[in-house]
Amino acid sequence: MDSFFNGLLHTLGYLAVVYACMSAIERIAPAESNQPIKRTLFNLGLTPLLLVISGGLLVFLTPFVQHLITPPTGQRIRIEFPWTGTLGAVAASLLAMMALMFITDFVYYWWHRFQHTNRWLWAQHTLHHSERSLNVVASLRHHWLEDPLRLFIQTVPLGFAFFFAPPSVAWVGMLIGLWPFFIHMNLRLSMGPLTPILCGPQYHRVHHSILPEHHDKNFAAFFPVWDILFGTAYLPKKNDYPPTGIDGVEIDNVSKALLSPFVDWTRMSRNLIARRSAKFNNRKIKTDA
């Protein structure tokens, strides 16, 4: 228990530094000016609560799958580059990082796309997309079921199949960790000619767009190639910085943030039962007739 809370405090300290630095950068050239401070404060207060709940679930669930992602059962294919020397270590770390990001992003692309196209999963993903003032502080505005679900959808399959050598150069690992925060920044930054190659804040902002023409676009987190290959890419033009959020959806209190998927699932279950009951009754009437 002590290790859990120590880890939580370490994570919150790290987030405080990341949020402070990136929020300062956002003020230089914001994609959306004058964002309501109350939204940022709400997300700052909500994030620790979500981390505590999801982290507790992960502590409980991980032992059940640990054997699948560790030798001898897991990590069947080793992705590592045993180069030595200063330049060799940097090159090896970069290549290992690119391989990790590329493979992970492929799995994440399909999981993320399924969250948008399956209404049961969309109910769980709505919290993240309901934010109308997208910025770095909203990066971790995910429902507390998100990480436990990803444990089974991403971590277990990837951990079973692959071993990725940890980066031997610190800044390489740091870059991977900062990327999800970078792409959520409220920043008027185009990747220019790199837009089809690397995701950036503008590319991901289109994914969060409230505009109909942007719906179900740009699912990738690192490499737009997956969107391009599978027909979901929207490569933004120079001044494409759309408003974000979900039309008609506002999640602005803690109870909604924690419970909204269960409310939606209850409603959908009742509708499903009602439809099946009506269908059964119609068949019965026809049979009796």
Side-chain angles (χ1 to χ4, degrees):
M1 186 63 71
D2 287 343
S3 61
F4 173 76
F5 284 107
N6 287 336
L8 178 64
L9 290 174
H10 178 80
T11 298
L12 292 177
Y14 170 76
L15 289 178
V17 174
V18 171
Y19 286 170
C21 293
M22 290 192 171
S23 294
I25 295 172
E26 286 178 332
R27 295 178 67 87
I28 298 172
E32 178 190 10
S33 300
N34 302 317
Q35 291 184 333
I37 187 65
K38 67 177 183 179
R39 292 186 181 276
T40 298
L41 292 176
F42 174 72
N43 288 330
L44 281 173
L46 180 64
T47 297
L49 180 59
L50 296 175
L51 289 176
V52 167
I53 300 174
S54 65
L57 280 173
L58 288 175
V59 168
F60 173 75
L61 293 171
T62 300
F64 293 101
V65 299
Q66 191 70 38
H67 66 287
L68 297 174
I69 59 177
T70 53
T73 304
Q75 303 180 9
R76 299 300 184 93
I77 304 170
R78 299 183 68 86
I79 308 293
E80 55 185 337
F81 303 91
W83 298 335
T84 58
T86 303
L87 290 178
V90 172
S93 286
L94 283 172
L95 282 175
M97 178 194 73
M98 293 296 288
L100 169 63
M101 292 167 65
F102 197 70
I103 295 171
T104 300
D105 205 33
F106 174 77
V107 176
Y108 174 76
Y109 169 88
W110 286 107
W111 159 245
H112 194 188
R113 183 170 176 172
F114 197 40
Q115 283 184 300
H116 281 251
T117 56
N118 180 282
R119 61 195 182 102
W120 298 87
L121 288 177
W122 174 245
Q124 177 268 325
H125 196 48
T126 298
L127 174 62
H128 186 60
H129 273 269
S130 63
E131 178 54 65
R132 293 178 180 269
S133 298
L134 187 67
N135 56 42
V136 65
V137 178
S139 303
L140 298 182
R141 183 187 157 107
H142 287 283
H143 191 262
W144 49 269
L145 286 173
E146 179 80 13
D147 285 338
L149 287 171
R150 286 191 193 182
L151 174 68
F152 296 101
I153 300 298
Q154 287 183 258
T155 304
V156 170
L158 288 170
F160 176 80
F162 299 103
F163 167 81
F164 292 95
S168 58
V169 180
W171 64 264
V172 173
M174 187 179 299
L175 183 62
I176 297 178
L178 289 176
W179 203 266
F181 300 103
F182 168 66
I183 63 174
H184 284 92
M185 290 179 71
N186 176 33
L187 194 62
R188 188 169 287 272
L189 175 65
S190 169
M191 300 296 281
L194 292 178
T195 298
I197 300 172
L198 283 174
C199 296
Q202 186 190 31
Y203 186 86
H204 195 65
R205 187 177 187 85
V206 168
H207 174 69
H208 279 264
S209 172
I210 202 170
L211 302 180
E213 61 266 32
H214 297 149
H215 288 181
D216 296 338
K217 300 292 184 182
N218 298 4
F219 294 111
F222 293 107
F223 301 108
V225 63
W226 301 124
D227 286 300
I228 294 170
L229 282 175
F230 299 115
T232 55
Y234 184 101
L235 300 180
K237 301 176 179 65
K238 182 179 179 181
N239 293 314
D240 278 346
Y241 294 94
T244 61
I246 304 173
D247 207 12
V249 176
E250 186 76 36
I251 300 179
D252 54 3
N253 64 63
V254 174
S255 61
K256 278 187 180 180
L258 298 181
L259 301 175
S260 60
F262 301 100
V263 173
D264 289 343
W265 289 334
T266 300
R267 174 180 50 79
M268 288 189 287
S269 297
R270 286 174 177 169
N271 291 340
L272 180 63
I273 292 170
R275 286 197 304 270
R276 291 191 174 180
S277 178
K279 189 176 180 180
F280 174 78
N281 289 334
N282 288 337
R283 285 180 180 176
K284 190 172 186 299
I285 291 171
K286 288 180 181 179
T287 303
D288 292 343

